[in-house]
Amino acid sequence: MMSSTAERIKDVIASSDVVLFMKGVPAAPQCGFSAAVVQILSGLKVPFKSVDVLSDPQIREGIKTFSNWPTIPQLYVKGEFLGGSDIVREMFQAGELTALLSDIGVATAKT
């Protein structure tokens, strides 16, 4: 990964408390996994920034190297990589996602 791509990724992650690297956009996700994470975040009314990796091949490949995680979507909260679709879904179902967001000061529908 080129350092300029890594810097762009760092800047995006730093620009918002919650950042979702996804396929497509929240209004029109291009894969079921991205749609699932958007649905969870939207259901909790969590404000988040999305990055469409399909529109930028350098970001699409670079984010996988950056996080050392092979799949998209990828969710970052307060600059930290949280996980992909399965992890986010499991955390949501267990109540851990809402608790984590609340603990770090990200407002949700449940807080």
Side-chain angles (χ1 to χ4, degrees), residues 44-89:
L44 291 173
K45 298 193 178 354
V46 173
F48 67 97
K49 178 181 184 106
S50 68
V51 177
D52 178 8
V53 300
L54 297 178
S55 68
D56 191 331
Q58 288 182 325
I59 295 292
R60 183 178 185 170
E61 291 308 311
I63 192 64
K64 296 174 188 178
T65 302
F66 185 85
S67 64
N68 196 28
W69 190 261
T71 59
I72 306 291
Q74 294 186 13
L75 183 65
Y76 285 78
V77 177
K78 295 270 186 160
E80 297 293 321
F81 175 58
L82 194 62
S85 179
D86 290 347
I87 291 170
V88 172
R89 185 179 65 247

Side-chain angles (χ1 to χ4, degrees), residues 1 38 45 53 83 86 93 96:
M1 173 175 49
V38 167
K45 298 193 178 354
V53 300
D86 290 347
Q93 290 172 342
E96 295 170 4

